[in-house]
Every structure is written in structure tokens, then in C-alpha cells.
Amino acid sequence: MNKQLYIGGKWVKSTSSKTIPVVNPATEEVFDSVAAANAEDVDAAVKAAREAFDNGPWSMMSGAQRAVFLRQIAAQIELRKDEIVRLEVLDNGKPQPEAEWDIDDAVGTFNFYADLAEGLDDADETIELSDDSFSSIAVKEPLGVAGAIIPWNFPLLMAAWKVAPALAAGCTMVLKPSEVTPLTALVLADIVDAVKLPAGVLNVVTGFGADAGRALSEHLGVDKLAFTGSVPTGSTIMRAAARDVKNISLELGGKSPFIVFADSDIEAAVEWIMFGIFWNQGQVCSATSRVLVEDSLYGPLLERLVEEANKITIGPGNEAVLLGPLVSEAQYQKVLAAIAQGVKEGAKIACGGQRPTGMPRGYYVQPTVLIDMAEESDVWQEEIFGPVVCVKPFSTEAEAIRLANDSRFGLAAAVMSKDDSRCDRVARKLRAGIVWINCSQPTFTEAPWGGYKQSGIGRELGKWGLNNYLETKQVTKYNSDKPWGWYLKS
């Protein structure tokens, strides 16, 4: 596969000639490298996207024509699934079954937005006016050049979440993947090249956030910025966008609560908690990292959770494991430091909390359950982004809701009970953009994804994701051949 930059439909070298090492987190070994784009490279990519939008065929195509390309991209991803899965395991560290699921979801995302692209051909909306001398319609049009900066936890899937709706809408795009996991974005570039997507419609620049990411977020030629990542970086992008009033969507951090009432099935609760926090090594923005359990169920549930967490197999993602390494040394050190800080602030480790024994290499952290932490402690309040769950008891429904909402984040939340009316009532009171009832983490391309408070701005997926890349234009027509007669009166 090509390791250069993909700009204007061509593979080009970075003007800096610098490269980014790609590390296998299971072995800590550098196994590849990619080009490191700088501001000059990003400028070339934005100009290519601008030329493609302003003067190329893409934005003027029908939705049905664009849908053909989106389906071809989906088919090529599916055809190259084994290769892409191998690369995701190598540079992200996730277990192979999880990577396979991600790639299947990416295929589904491109096919879903192909369907929505076709629907744009009949999207003009007639507006009822108070004066029948005029007629008016609302027209959906592509927003322009989009810049997308994606994270390392779901490399190709996060690219699909942004690229597919942007292309469906008729936008052109510059995509910057994380420097930690750049490989599958380059495979995506190779795929769009193979299906002969018009030059400049999708440009892929690999580079560091401080260089390529900053240049993209500050570029005056970008009409729209879409970012998934941390709150501090999202805040920086928001400030950059404010200078020229760019359209932005931000999907940021989370500290998602899961409320478990005493009438819940304990085995189901443990299963969903574990899926919510140990999937992808807990490196999920919506991860179930705060569990609130009603008093009478707290002890039995904690005992079962610890018992099952201790059974989880740990190892390289290409082996039969449920928990792989964290994505990088920096993330590994961050998670261990968060656990240590939690203990310092009074939390107790019910299980895990350190590196697994017998694994001299690789960025591994045991599945960790923390208890007895204070409400104001960092481990309870701040995103850890690792396989660490905090468990706390509650006495009343009101207390559970208060504890769940006591966070600067509001991405996701969950509630479990056999009482449907209570679940519905609590779900309405949880301040989060996504609420799960009797489950945690299922994500569907058709449904909106995004958060309240510091968890972000806007929604991805579904029709909401498409709307991120569309402008609404009013077109009003005067329907008489006579002068209006306001100034020229006879």
C-alpha cells in the first residue's frame, strides 16, 4: 500500500520529507512509517478539494450518481476486509473480532449514506406562504469543503462516519487520520483511487495534530470542520473555527453512567457492564465507566463483576483474546497514572489495576474495577479511556439520577430495570445525547450519535449526519407578470 499523501487524486510526497513511525502496541515495535504532512501539504489538499468542489463534477452530480461511488467504496472495503482488519489489529491493538465488526460497520455506513444520497434528488421542500403571489421552496445543497480529523480508537469506522455523509451530500473533503493509527485511512484513499472518484473529492493527509491538524482547522479554504477526539483539542478547534465562523461538529469525551436497579437480572447487568467498559480496551468515548448500583444489589453484582473481569483473556489482538493492548505508550501511561491517582484519592481496587504478569512487552492494563471513590475524585469525574470502571452504590432513584448527571460530560448513559415505566422515566431525566435501556453501547448507523454539555456539538449518523454537510437555501419566485407596484405605482 502507498504510504504517501493522497492529494488531488494523486499520491504525492510530503514537502517536509518527514515520516511518522507506526508502532504495534502489542510488541512496542515500529513496523511501518507514513508521510508526515505539514501546513504546505494541507494547503495543497484544501486547494484540491476547493477546486473539485467549485469546478469539478461532484457537487453538481445527482445524489443517485454519487450513490454509485459510495456503493463501490463499500464493496471495495468488503473485498479488502482481511487486509484492513490485519492493519487495524497491528496499529490499534484491538482484538481481531472487534476489528472485523468495525469493518463490517464501515461497509454498512457507506451503503447507508448511498441510500440517503439518492433521497436528496427529491428533497426540495415546498413552503406554504401567506401571499399566493409568491411560491417558495427549501433546497438542500452541499456545504462545501469539509475538513475531518478523526481519532485512533476506531480508525476506519470513524473515517466512514465522516467521509460517507460528506460525499453523499456532495461535499469534498480533506481527511486527517490520527498519527497513531494512520494505515487504514491510506487504504481508504487507495480504494477511492481505484473506483475513480473524481480527483480532489477526497484527500488524505497523514500528519501530527500540531502540524497537519492545526493547519487544517485554521485553513480559510475549509467551510466545515468535523472532529472526534478530546475536549481540549475540540476546544482548540472551536476557537480556530470562530475566527472565520466555520461550521463545526464536535464529538468529544464522555464519562457515561449505567444505573442498575435492584430488580435487574444480575447476569445481564454484568454482561452489559463488561461490554460497555472492556470493549476496545475501554478506549471508547461512550464507555460505561461509571456504574451506579442500587444498595441491595451492589454487593452481589460487584462480586460477579470482579469474578468475570478476572477471567478475561489478555494478549495480542491477533490471538483469541477479549482484551488487547492499549493503543500507545502514552495512553498506557495515562491509564496507569489515573488508577494511581484514584487510589491516592481514596479509591480501592476491587480487581486489576496494573500490568498483567508474564507480559514483558506491550501496552497492557488489566481489567480494573474501582470502588469507594469520592464523588469529586478524578477517577469518578474524568475520562480515563481505558479498561477501568468505577462502581458506586445508591439508595433512591433521585440519588441515582443526581449522581449520573453530576458530570461535565453528557455523551451516553444507560439504565437497567424490569420496570419499563421506571426505565422510561429515568431515561428522560438523564442529560445525555444517547440513552440505552437494559443494554449498553449498541450503535446503529440509522440513529443520531452525539452528546450534551462538553461531550460535543451536533450529531453524527442517520439523517442527522447527512445534515452536517448540507446547507438549506430558500428559493422564492414571484408568480405574476405584472410589476409588484410598491414603488412604481400607476
Side-chain angles (χ1 to χ4, degrees):
M1 59 178 287
N2 205 308
K3 312 295 173 55
Q4 296 178 318
L5 311 177
Y6 188 70
I7 298 175
K10 298 178 180 179
W11 293 100
V12 299
K13 294 181 179 180
S14 169
T15 57
S16 71
S17 298
K18 295 180 180 179
T19 59
I20 302 170
V22 183
V23 177
N24 181 345
T27 64
E28 304 180 34
E29 295 173 346
V30 175
F31 70 95
D32 214 333
S33 64
V34 299
N38 59 19
E40 186 177 345
D41 300 316
V42 170
D43 181 60
V46 173
K47 286 177 178 176
R50 172 56 60 192
E51 175 65 21
F53 183 80
D54 291 344
N55 301 312
W58 189 251
S59 62
M60 301 306 296
M61 284 183 183
S62 67
Q65 289 172 313
R66 292 195 292 269
V68 171
F69 284 96
L70 290 170
R71 291 196 178 97
Q72 288 176 342
I73 293 170
Q76 286 294 311
I77 293 173
E78 192 163 30
L79 188 66
R80 297 175 66 171
K81 178 179 175 179
D82 290 346
E83 170 197 357
I84 297 170
V85 165
R86 182 180 65 83
L87 291 174
E88 296 255 301
V89 171
L90 280 174
D91 69 354
N92 174 274
K94 64 178 65 191
Q96 183 172 323
E98 296 185 20
E100 291 172 350
W101 196 347
D102 291 352
I103 306 315
D104 289 341
D105 280 352
V107 171
T109 299
F110 277 99
N111 281 325
F112 175 80
Y113 281 106
D115 292 343
L116 290 195
E118 291 174 334
L120 288 174
D121 292 337
D122 300 311
D124 292 356
E125 180 181 350
T126 300
I127 303 169
E128 296 294 330
L129 302 177
S130 57
D131 186 340
D132 59 10
S133 299
F134 300 85
S135 59
S136 187
I137 58 173
V139 178
K140 295 287 189 181
E141 294 184 341
L143 199 154
V145 174
I149 302 173
I150 59 172
W152 44 256
N153 54 343
F154 296 93
L156 186 69
L157 184 56
M158 291 296 98
W161 279 23
K162 290 173 172 56
V163 173
L167 267 55
C171 291
T172 58
M173 176 171 274
V174 178
L175 172 68
K176 194 207 87 67
S178 168
E179 60 268 29
V180 180
T181 54
L183 296 180
T184 52
L186 294 174
V187 175
L188 180 60
D190 193 51
I191 285 171
V192 301
D193 191 66
V195 304
K196 301 188 185 308
L197 191 74
V201 171
L202 179 64
N203 307 272
V204 179
V205 290
T206 52
F208 293 102
D211 299 321
R214 179 177 180 177
L216 184 58
S217 63
E218 294 180 350
H219 202 292
L220 296 177
V222 173
D223 302 303
K224 158 80 180 183
L225 283 171
F227 171 76
T228 297
S230 70
V231 172
T233 304
S235 179
T236 299
I237 288 172
M238 197 171 181
R239 287 194 298 271
R243 294 173 197 150
D244 55 328
V245 198
K246 279 187 179 69
N247 183 305
I248 61 170
S249 54
L250 304 173
E251 200 266 88
L252 307 177
K255 192 70 175 177
S256 301
F258 191 167
I259 300 172
V260 183
F261 286 98
D263 63 346
S264 301
D265 180 272
I266 193 168
E267 297 302 313
V270 169
E271 169 67 25
W272 284 113
I273 291 166
M274 291 179 66
F275 181 70
I277 191 59
F278 300 135
W279 179 265
N280 205 36
Q281 294 69 253
Q283 298 169 136
V284 183
C285 50
S286 60
T288 302
S289 52
R290 292 186 297 150
V291 175
L292 294 155
V293 187
E294 194 166 3
D295 288 331
S296 61
L297 190 65
Y298 175 78
L301 185 144
L302 179 62
E303 183 179 352
R304 285 291 294 124
L305 178 60
V306 168
E307 181 182 1
E308 292 301 318
N310 282 328
K311 294 179 183 177
I312 290 177
T313 53
I314 307 172
N318 58 355
E319 298 180 3
V321 300
L322 290 176
L323 196 76
L326 297 180
V327 73
S328 66
E329 182 180 9
Q331 190 62 22
Y332 167 76
Q333 296 294 349
K334 176 187 173 184
V335 171
L336 289 180
I339 295 170
Q341 179 65 23
V343 172
K344 183 178 179 181
E345 293 177 350
K348 295 179 182 176
I349 297 175
C351 72
Q354 57 189 337
R355 182 185 186 86
T357 58
M359 305 187 77
R361 298 184 68 80
Y363 307 126
Y364 298 98
V365 174
Q366 294 172 326
T368 301
V369 179
L370 299 179
I371 59 173
D372 295 346
M373 70 293 301
E375 289 181 36
E376 65 275 10
S377 66
D378 284 351
V379 288
W380 184 255
Q381 292 290 340
E382 300 301 324
E383 186 175 44
I384 296 174
F385 226 62
V388 182
V389 61
C390 299
V391 186
K392 184 181 286 290
F394 70 87
S395 299
T396 66
E397 180 180 307
E399 181 188 14
I401 293 168
R402 179 189 66 78
L403 287 168
N405 287 334
D406 182 22
S407 173
R408 65 190 178 101
F409 298 109
L411 180 56
V415 56
M416 176 171 279
S417 172
K418 293 178 181 177
D419 185 337
D420 290 342
S421 62
R422 175 160 58 186
C423 285
D424 291 340
R425 181 173 64 248
V426 172
R428 296 280 182 175
K429 293 180 180 180
L430 291 171
R431 297 286 296 163
I434 305 133
V435 178
W436 293 293
I437 294 177
N438 292 331
C439 60
S440 179
Q441 305 304 315
T443 303
F444 300 95
T445 309
E446 301 87 350
W449 182 273
Y452 291 11
K453 298 185 276 188
Q454 290 188 31
S455 286
I457 297 171
R459 295 294 180 269
E460 293 189 301
L461 298 183
K463 64 182 181 181
W464 301 268
L466 183 66
N467 288 337
N468 278 333
Y469 301 95
L470 292 170
E471 290 278 25
T472 302
K473 175 184 287 184
Q474 175 204 142
V475 179
T476 297
K477 179 182 179 182
Y478 182 47
N479 295 319
S480 174
D481 57 359
K482 298 178 181 179
W484 189 28
W486 183 260
Y487 291 103
L488 301 176
K489 296 180 180 180
S490 56

